[in-house]
């Protein structure tokens, strides 16, 4: 079985409620996003999907978030823009753009020491 | 399903017997530790567990090892302080400090090119 | 001659005018900051300055920016919160907290591919 | 369960057909390779396999590719030297050199933002 | 004084004569390029040069090398495509595209452990 | 002018007196070492010095420290094995092994957030 991973980043603002129930001040991050797709075989060119195509699809999704305040976006009206929810929203959007391979996971790294991954397993 | 990973490091000394049966000289490493927890859903704040809380728990565990000679510690009296065993010991200690999410794995990176992961799968 | 560099990061929001004269939307970044100090000799312990002390001073400075909207802060009322100006402001603040070694430069990395350095050379 | 990962790199040239059916010009990459093995228990020294031994085996495999034009090698006569196929070929070669632990996956990172993983799961 | 650094990469093939006088086999690398410019002051927007503009100029230069065999290019007809010469050629080309700030250095990282920097100091 | 940098690492134990006058417990680190040499011109092969040769010389120096307790070594009998002193000792040793190019600096990174550089400027 083959898995392919491409990465990209977007820079955005957000504010969320932390575990003590307090609303953080507005701040921001560079979110590094890794998208992993799986395929059981390769095509005649030896690819599951061309890296360039997968990156282009991921960019299409991330362009909606880059240089934005996530807390103002419709996608996060009913759920907080935490890394968990950001990963889940990107998963849904990217999945709808893919054919010929299945989306395995979206990982969202908020800082070098904190990341969240969403899968449908 | 969601997985959250936080990372931290500790600096310690150790000496172990290598595959040729020889006891290495005392030396040391920066061990980079990645703790991954899993949860099926997020809470009302959109989190599986607050990154800050998970990092604090991991730090509590690693503080026992940081700036120590692992070969002198009680945890490694009966098992060598290899990356495999360090990962397993951290897993047991961190698991006892968590509630509301399950610990998935502990990865211990001894150098940039060598790491060991312990899971209970 | 010795130079010591310590690094830290803060996460904040900002908005600046780009080269086409357009005001960006509010967004954010993780700014990775590297502070470099220089000294001609080491003390009796073999140090120019203890890394832990230098990190603590840098943290004191960065705490004013972390989890904030830079565009709202007094420090950036009269100058845009670009990486250039952020580096210069951190330089002035950190320099006032150091004695026994001279501050050489502050580098501010806005993304993995973009950084600005301020020096008084 | 334990998993051990070691990494190494090789530098080579290749040319492949992209998704638009066009043959790229000859170029090259540094391919970063991660080999992951699994074991249910550790030996009396606390190891699944000595990192040094695993690295030596991986090096033996990669030496055939380093400073070569992959498109000229027999291994890639009948399949394109894509990251997918490179991962699969390394898997087969390394597996035949291992005993006492099972090879889990080979990941091949072509650039910092593109990688392919082959597993037999 | 301010220095700004932007980074980008290109993937190419090359072959050079090593220190023992032997011509290597054709192979390739990902060359990570860092361009550093200097300026004594910032403009009214707080910038020495917009990162986006500097990256675009650097990309214009690197596009000539990406997915090429450097040993076939006119730029390297009379000098070997070593990292030293690649850095010097990129310096000359990028310098001719910049105004309002001076180019300080071009660093070319051939592998994670090997890099060459060209400056006119 | 050209500068070449190669990197390598060694893993060792040490203990030093911190700024509060307290002797730390024995512990260890992976020290990442960067050696930078300078040359005004390249040879007929387009090199200041072959990366492979420079790496071999640096390895010769670091082999004396790898998998050792620095606090036990003769080199550090009269000076503490701090990053500052480690950099200075490596500088002296490597300089004596080089001809045809001048050693510019040795940087020693003790952790990802702490490094010391020694130069003779």
């Amino acid at each position: 079985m083959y898995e392919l991973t491409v990465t990209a980043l977007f820079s955005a603002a957000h504010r969320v409620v932390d575990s003590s129930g307090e609303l953080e001040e507005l701040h921001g991050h560079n979110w590094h996003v890794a998208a992993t797709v799986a395929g059981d075989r390769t095509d005649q060119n030896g690819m599951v999907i061309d890296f360039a195509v997968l990156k282009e699809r991921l960019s299409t999704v991330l362009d909606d978030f880059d240089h934005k305040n996530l807390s103002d976006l419709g996608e996060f009206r009913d759920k907080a823009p935490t890394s968990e929810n950001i990963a889940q929203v990107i998963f849904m959007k990217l999945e709808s753009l893919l054919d010929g391979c299945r989306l395995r996971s979206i990982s969202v790294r908020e800082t070098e020491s904190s990341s969240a991954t969403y899968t449908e397993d």
Side-chain angles (χ1 to χ4, degrees), chain A:
Chain A
M1 210 255 303
Y2 300 89
E3 288 189 341
L4 266 66
T5 299
V6 299
T7 62
L9 77 80
F10 68 94
S11 299
H14 82 156
R15 63 190 311 188
V16 299
V17 175
D18 71 17
S19 59
S20 64
E22 207 166 335
L23 180 64
E24 301 175 311
E25 287 199 56
L26 181 72
H27 61 284
H29 296 286
N30 304 322
W31 276 277
H32 291 258
V33 179
T36 298
V37 300
D40 294 321
R41 62 188 59 78
T42 56
D43 62 19
Q44 78 278 16
N45 294 329
M47 296 177 178
V48 170
I49 181 174
D50 192 321
F51 285 133
V53 172
L54 185 52
K55 283 182 183 178
E56 191 201 329
R57 303 278 157 82
L58 181 59
S59 286
T60 300
V61 173
L62 300 187
D63 281 354
D64 290 346
F65 297 161
D66 193 37
H67 280 61
K68 294 282 164 61
N69 179 359
L70 301 181
S71 296
D72 281 347
L73 298 183
E75 286 88 340
F76 300 104
R77 186 169 304 135
D78 300 321
K79 50 181 143 191
T82 57
S83 288
E84 289 91 328
N85 282 334
I86 295 169
Q88 194 254 359
V89 168
I90 294 173
F91 191 101
M92 298 307 160
K93 290 183 173 228
L94 183 58
E95 195 173 40
S96 71
L97 298 181
L98 293 177
D99 43 35
C101 60
R102 46 184 197 284
L103 185 57
R104 206 58 181 275
S105 65
I106 294 291
S107 288
V108 165
R109 184 157 57 87
E110 189 176 288
T111 68
E112 279 172 20
S113 56
S114 308
S115 66
T117 300
Y118 180 79
T119 63
E120 297 220 309
D121 295 345

